[in-house]
Amino acid sequence: MPSSFPMHRQGGAALIVGLIMLVLITLAVTAGFTLSNTNLKSVGNMQNRNEAVAAANRAIEEVASSLLLPGVDGSPSLAMPQATQSRVDINNDGTTDYTVAIAPPTCVRATKSTDTGGGTAGPGGIGGNSSTSGSGLNALPDQYNTVWDISTSVTDTASGTVTAVRQGVRALLTKEQFEALCS
């Protein structure tokens, strides 16, 4: 029985166009997957860096507060700051996440404080109605505004990556502390 539709020769153009479209879609999906994987790694690296900086800041605060801690008898500490190492458990799971090596702090600048007028200073010379050398602190006689440079090297114990963090810290020292620590 003869067909009512004439037979036309087909060259397979639809098949070739379909295969090209399939390859293009596959390339687009692969590129999207690679891009999202790269973004995920970048975000993870930034999180690790931020955690390392937080660990360094925690160790720096400990060192900065040790500059101002009084001795056993209540007199100002005259011990020269030493290099220390701090282990930080950032997520409180009981294991050390970061090891912070702290170089000995160095006194980079010191200026003698002068009381600019009539304000009363509280503990450590902190007050509210006058300033000394632009610091916002009232000064008692023979006190020194000092700036300390504290450098740290933070090592991620899981990956071994190292992040360096430096910070300047200002401390108001007594004359005895200044002579012992910043001379």
mmCIF file of all heavy atoms in Angstrom, residues 1-32:
data_model
loop_
_atom_site.group_PDB
_atom_site.id
_atom_site.type_symbol
_atom_site.label_atom_id
_atom_site.label_comp_id
_atom_site.label_asym_id
_atom_site.label_seq_id
_atom_site.Cartn_x
_atom_site.Cartn_y
_atom_site.Cartn_z
ATOM 1 N N MET A 1 0.840 -1.164 0.000
ATOM 2 C CA MET A 1 0.000 0.000 0.000
ATOM 3 C C MET A 1 0.882 1.223 0.000
ATOM 4 O O MET A 1 1.738 1.374 0.843
ATOM 5 C CB MET A 1 -0.895 -0.082 1.210
ATOM 6 C CG MET A 1 -1.748 1.050 1.360
ATOM 7 S SD MET A 1 -2.969 0.465 2.504
ATOM 8 C CE MET A 1 -3.850 1.786 2.755
ATOM 9 N N PRO A 2 0.693 2.043 -0.936
ATOM 10 C CA PRO A 2 1.523 3.222 -1.076
ATOM 11 C C PRO A 2 1.186 4.252 -0.005
ATOM 12 O O PRO A 2 0.061 4.425 0.391
ATOM 13 C CB PRO A 2 1.212 3.748 -2.460
ATOM 14 C CG PRO A 2 -0.027 3.087 -2.877
ATOM 15 C CD PRO A 2 -0.223 1.901 -2.017
ATOM 16 N N SER A 3 2.232 4.953 0.440
ATOM 17 C CA SER A 3 2.088 5.981 1.464
ATOM 18 C C SER A 3 1.605 7.257 0.833
ATOM 19 O O SER A 3 1.973 7.594 -0.290
ATOM 20 C CB SER A 3 3.429 6.190 2.157
ATOM 21 O OG SER A 3 3.384 7.303 2.993
ATOM 22 N N SER A 4 0.803 7.998 1.574
ATOM 23 C CA SER A 4 0.308 9.247 1.036
ATOM 24 C C SER A 4 1.306 10.381 1.216
ATOM 25 O O SER A 4 1.148 11.429 0.629
ATOM 26 C CB SER A 4 -1.019 9.610 1.675
ATOM 27 O OG SER A 4 -0.825 9.784 3.057
ATOM 28 N N PHE A 5 2.317 10.141 2.048
ATOM 29 C CA PHE A 5 3.344 11.174 2.249
ATOM 30 C C PHE A 5 4.544 10.836 1.404
ATOM 31 O O PHE A 5 5.022 9.691 1.433
ATOM 32 C CB PHE A 5 3.776 11.253 3.717
ATOM 33 C CG PHE A 5 2.654 11.684 4.630
ATOM 34 C CD1 PHE A 5 2.032 10.771 5.468
ATOM 35 C CD2 PHE A 5 2.233 12.993 4.644
ATOM 36 C CE1 PHE A 5 1.019 11.159 6.288
ATOM 37 C CE2 PHE A 5 1.211 13.382 5.482
ATOM 38 C CZ PHE A 5 0.599 12.467 6.306
ATOM 39 N N PRO A 6 5.063 11.816 0.726
ATOM 40 C CA PRO A 6 6.241 11.509 -0.097
ATOM 41 C C PRO A 6 7.475 11.327 0.794
ATOM 42 O O PRO A 6 7.624 11.961 1.818
ATOM 43 C CB PRO A 6 6.376 12.732 -0.994
ATOM 44 C CG PRO A 6 5.636 13.813 -0.311
ATOM 45 C CD PRO A 6 4.603 13.172 0.538
ATOM 46 N N MET A 7 8.337 10.448 0.426
ATOM 47 C CA MET A 7 9.562 10.184 1.165
ATOM 48 C C MET A 7 10.581 11.246 0.787
ATOM 49 O O MET A 7 10.909 11.405 -0.376
ATOM 50 C CB MET A 7 10.110 8.811 0.797
ATOM 51 C CG MET A 7 9.250 7.696 1.310
ATOM 52 S SD MET A 7 9.461 7.548 3.036
ATOM 53 C CE MET A 7 10.264 6.009 3.158
ATOM 54 N N HIS A 8 11.051 11.937 1.823
ATOM 55 C CA HIS A 8 12.100 12.931 1.618
ATOM 56 C C HIS A 8 13.360 12.420 2.279
ATOM 57 O O HIS A 8 13.324 11.800 3.336
ATOM 58 C CB HIS A 8 11.718 14.284 2.237
ATOM 59 C CG HIS A 8 10.573 14.936 1.538
ATOM 60 N ND1 HIS A 8 10.698 15.556 0.326
ATOM 61 C CD2 HIS A 8 9.255 15.050 1.884
ATOM 62 C CE1 HIS A 8 9.534 16.044 -0.033
ATOM 63 N NE2 HIS A 8 8.648 15.734 0.900
ATOM 64 N N ARG A 9 14.422 12.710 1.676
ATOM 65 C CA ARG A 9 15.690 12.288 2.250
ATOM 66 C C ARG A 9 16.061 13.250 3.383
ATOM 67 O O ARG A 9 16.082 14.454 3.194
ATOM 68 C CB ARG A 9 16.752 12.313 1.162
ATOM 69 C CG ARG A 9 18.028 11.824 1.686
ATOM 70 C CD ARG A 9 19.023 11.711 0.603
ATOM 71 N NE ARG A 9 20.272 11.459 1.297
ATOM 72 C CZ ARG A 9 21.414 11.372 0.757
ATOM 73 N NH1 ARG A 9 21.500 11.509 -0.538
ATOM 74 N NH2 ARG A 9 22.479 11.141 1.438
ATOM 75 N N GLN A 10 16.360 12.706 4.599
ATOM 76 C CA GLN A 10 16.719 13.529 5.744
ATOM 77 C C GLN A 10 18.217 13.436 5.939
ATOM 78 O O GLN A 10 18.797 12.359 5.886
ATOM 79 C CB GLN A 10 15.995 13.066 6.997
ATOM 80 C CG GLN A 10 14.486 13.218 6.869
ATOM 81 C CD GLN A 10 13.789 12.830 8.153
ATOM 82 O OE1 GLN A 10 14.431 12.537 9.142
ATOM 83 N NE2 GLN A 10 12.465 12.841 8.105
ATOM 84 N N GLY A 11 18.833 14.586 6.212
ATOM 85 C CA GLY A 11 20.287 14.624 6.371
ATOM 86 C C GLY A 11 20.724 14.521 7.835
ATOM 87 O O GLY A 11 21.907 14.489 8.118
ATOM 88 N N GLY A 12 19.856 14.470 8.818
ATOM 89 C CA GLY A 12 20.212 14.353 10.226
ATOM 90 C C GLY A 12 20.601 15.682 10.863
ATOM 91 O O GLY A 12 21.309 15.705 11.870
ATOM 92 N N ALA A 13 20.153 16.785 10.313
ATOM 93 C CA ALA A 13 20.495 18.102 10.849
ATOM 94 C C ALA A 13 19.926 18.295 12.255
ATOM 95 O O ALA A 13 20.580 18.883 13.124
ATOM 96 C CB ALA A 13 19.994 19.198 9.917
ATOM 97 N N ALA A 14 18.760 17.788 12.528
ATOM 98 C CA ALA A 14 18.148 17.920 13.853
ATOM 99 C C ALA A 14 18.981 17.188 14.899
ATOM 100 O O ALA A 14 19.161 17.666 16.028
ATOM 101 C CB ALA A 14 16.727 17.389 13.825
ATOM 102 N N LEU A 15 19.521 16.040 14.527
ATOM 103 C CA LEU A 15 20.359 15.282 15.446
ATOM 104 C C LEU A 15 21.641 16.039 15.771
ATOM 105 O O LEU A 15 22.058 16.122 16.935
ATOM 106 C CB LEU A 15 20.689 13.912 14.841
ATOM 107 C CG LEU A 15 21.592 13.011 15.669
ATOM 108 C CD1 LEU A 15 20.907 12.650 16.990
ATOM 109 C CD2 LEU A 15 21.934 11.755 14.890
ATOM 110 N N ILE A 16 22.269 16.630 14.781
ATOM 111 C CA ILE A 16 23.512 17.383 14.988
ATOM 112 C C ILE A 16 23.254 18.620 15.845
ATOM 113 O O ILE A 16 23.996 18.909 16.788
ATOM 114 C CB ILE A 16 24.156 17.755 13.635
ATOM 115 C CG1 ILE A 16 24.641 16.482 12.949
ATOM 116 C CG2 ILE A 16 25.298 18.745 13.821
ATOM 117 C CD1 ILE A 16 25.133 16.692 11.542
ATOM 118 N N VAL A 17 22.184 19.343 15.571
ATOM 119 C CA VAL A 17 21.837 20.522 16.364
ATOM 120 C C VAL A 17 21.525 20.111 17.801
ATOM 121 O O VAL A 17 21.948 20.756 18.771
ATOM 122 C CB VAL A 17 20.647 21.288 15.728
ATOM 123 C CG1 VAL A 17 20.119 22.358 16.669
ATOM 124 C CG2 VAL A 17 21.064 21.903 14.404
ATOM 125 N N GLY A 18 20.829 18.999 17.999
ATOM 126 C CA GLY A 18 20.523 18.502 19.337
ATOM 127 C C GLY A 18 21.775 18.136 20.119
ATOM 128 O O GLY A 18 21.897 18.438 21.314
ATOM 129 N N LEU A 19 22.732 17.488 19.461
ATOM 130 C CA LEU A 19 23.983 17.131 20.122
ATOM 131 C C LEU A 19 24.791 18.376 20.500
ATOM 132 O O LEU A 19 25.388 18.433 21.589
ATOM 133 C CB LEU A 19 24.815 16.200 19.233
ATOM 134 C CG LEU A 19 24.291 14.770 19.101
ATOM 135 C CD1 LEU A 19 25.117 13.985 18.091
ATOM 136 C CD2 LEU A 19 24.304 14.076 20.444
ATOM 137 N N ILE A 20 24.809 19.364 19.627
ATOM 138 C CA ILE A 20 25.524 20.615 19.934
ATOM 139 C C ILE A 20 24.879 21.301 21.138
ATOM 140 O O ILE A 20 25.583 21.768 22.044
ATOM 141 C CB ILE A 20 25.556 21.539 18.693
ATOM 142 C CG1 ILE A 20 26.477 20.945 17.629
ATOM 143 C CG2 ILE A 20 26.012 22.945 19.066
ATOM 144 C CD1 ILE A 20 26.449 21.673 16.301
ATOM 145 N N MET A 21 23.576 21.336 21.191
ATOM 146 C CA MET A 21 22.883 21.951 22.326
ATOM 147 C C MET A 21 23.175 21.176 23.616
ATOM 148 O O MET A 21 23.382 21.778 24.677
ATOM 149 C CB MET A 21 21.370 22.004 22.078
ATOM 150 C CG MET A 21 20.972 22.934 20.951
ATOM 151 S SD MET A 21 21.490 24.639 21.227
ATOM 152 C CE MET A 21 20.432 25.078 22.552
ATOM 153 N N LEU A 22 23.228 19.873 23.551
ATOM 154 C CA LEU A 22 23.527 19.048 24.714
ATOM 155 C C LEU A 22 24.943 19.326 25.224
ATOM 156 O O LEU A 22 25.161 19.432 26.436
ATOM 157 C CB LEU A 22 23.358 17.565 24.361
ATOM 158 C CG LEU A 22 23.496 16.577 25.504
ATOM 159 C CD1 LEU A 22 22.460 16.862 26.573
ATOM 160 C CD2 LEU A 22 23.363 15.153 24.990
ATOM 161 N N VAL A 23 25.898 19.466 24.317
ATOM 162 C CA VAL A 23 27.274 19.788 24.710
ATOM 163 C C VAL A 23 27.334 21.172 25.363
ATOM 164 O O VAL A 23 27.992 21.369 26.388
ATOM 165 C CB VAL A 23 28.230 19.693 23.493
ATOM 166 C CG1 VAL A 23 29.582 20.321 23.791
ATOM 167 C CG2 VAL A 23 28.392 18.254 23.061
ATOM 168 N N LEU A 24 26.640 22.164 24.811
ATOM 169 C CA LEU A 24 26.635 23.515 25.372
ATOM 170 C C LEU A 24 26.007 23.533 26.766
ATOM 171 O O LEU A 24 26.521 24.198 27.678
ATOM 172 C CB LEU A 24 25.905 24.481 24.442
ATOM 173 C CG LEU A 24 26.612 24.794 23.122
ATOM 174 C CD1 LEU A 24 25.729 25.678 22.236
ATOM 175 C CD2 LEU A 24 27.944 25.469 23.386
ATOM 176 N N ILE A 25 24.928 22.812 26.956
ATOM 177 C CA ILE A 25 24.292 22.750 28.273
ATOM 178 C C ILE A 25 25.220 22.067 29.273
ATOM 179 O O ILE A 25 25.362 22.522 30.420
ATOM 180 C CB ILE A 25 22.918 22.032 28.183
ATOM 181 C CG1 ILE A 25 21.925 22.916 27.421
ATOM 182 C CG2 ILE A 25 22.387 21.689 29.572
ATOM 183 C CD1 ILE A 25 20.621 22.220 27.092
ATOM 184 N N THR A 26 25.900 21.006 28.851
ATOM 185 C CA THR A 26 26.847 20.314 29.730
ATOM 186 C C THR A 26 27.989 21.240 30.129
ATOM 187 O O THR A 26 28.398 21.271 31.299
ATOM 188 C CB THR A 26 27.398 19.053 29.026
ATOM 189 O OG1 THR A 26 26.298 18.208 28.662
ATOM 190 C CG2 THR A 26 28.367 18.303 29.926
ATOM 191 N N LEU A 27 28.515 22.013 29.184
ATOM 192 C CA LEU A 27 29.586 22.973 29.491
ATOM 193 C C LEU A 27 29.106 24.044 30.470
ATOM 194 O O LEU A 27 29.843 24.431 31.388
ATOM 195 C CB LEU A 27 30.120 23.620 28.209
ATOM 196 C CG LEU A 27 30.961 22.720 27.307
ATOM 197 C CD1 LEU A 27 31.303 23.454 26.007
ATOM 198 C CD2 LEU A 27 32.226 22.282 28.016
ATOM 199 N N ALA A 28 27.896 24.536 30.305
ATOM 200 C CA ALA A 28 27.360 25.560 31.205
ATOM 201 C C ALA A 28 27.192 25.003 32.621
ATOM 202 O O ALA A 28 27.540 25.666 33.613
ATOM 203 C CB ALA A 28 26.017 26.075 30.676
ATOM 204 N N VAL A 29 26.703 23.781 32.753
ATOM 205 C CA VAL A 29 26.530 23.171 34.072
ATOM 206 C C VAL A 29 27.888 22.934 34.726
ATOM 207 O O VAL A 29 28.077 23.193 35.920
ATOM 208 C CB VAL A 29 25.715 21.859 33.954
ATOM 209 C CG1 VAL A 29 25.776 21.054 35.233
ATOM 210 C CG2 VAL A 29 24.280 22.166 33.578
ATOM 211 N N THR A 30 28.862 22.453 33.947
ATOM 212 C CA THR A 30 30.199 22.220 34.477
ATOM 213 C C THR A 30 30.845 23.525 34.936
ATOM 214 O O THR A 30 31.462 23.581 36.006
ATOM 215 C CB THR A 30 31.084 21.536 33.409
ATOM 216 O OG1 THR A 30 30.455 20.331 32.990
ATOM 217 C CG2 THR A 30 32.470 21.230 33.948
ATOM 218 N N ALA A 31 30.708 24.577 34.158
ATOM 219 C CA ALA A 31 31.266 25.884 34.540
ATOM 220 C C ALA A 31 30.596 26.400 35.810
ATOM 221 O O ALA A 31 31.258 26.932 36.709
ATOM 222 C CB ALA A 31 31.104 26.881 33.405
ATOM 223 N N GLY A 32 29.292 26.240 35.925
ATOM 224 C CA GLY A 32 28.583 26.671 37.131
ATOM 225 C C GLY A 32 29.034 25.895 38.358
ATOM 226 O O GLY A 32 29.235 26.463 39.436
#
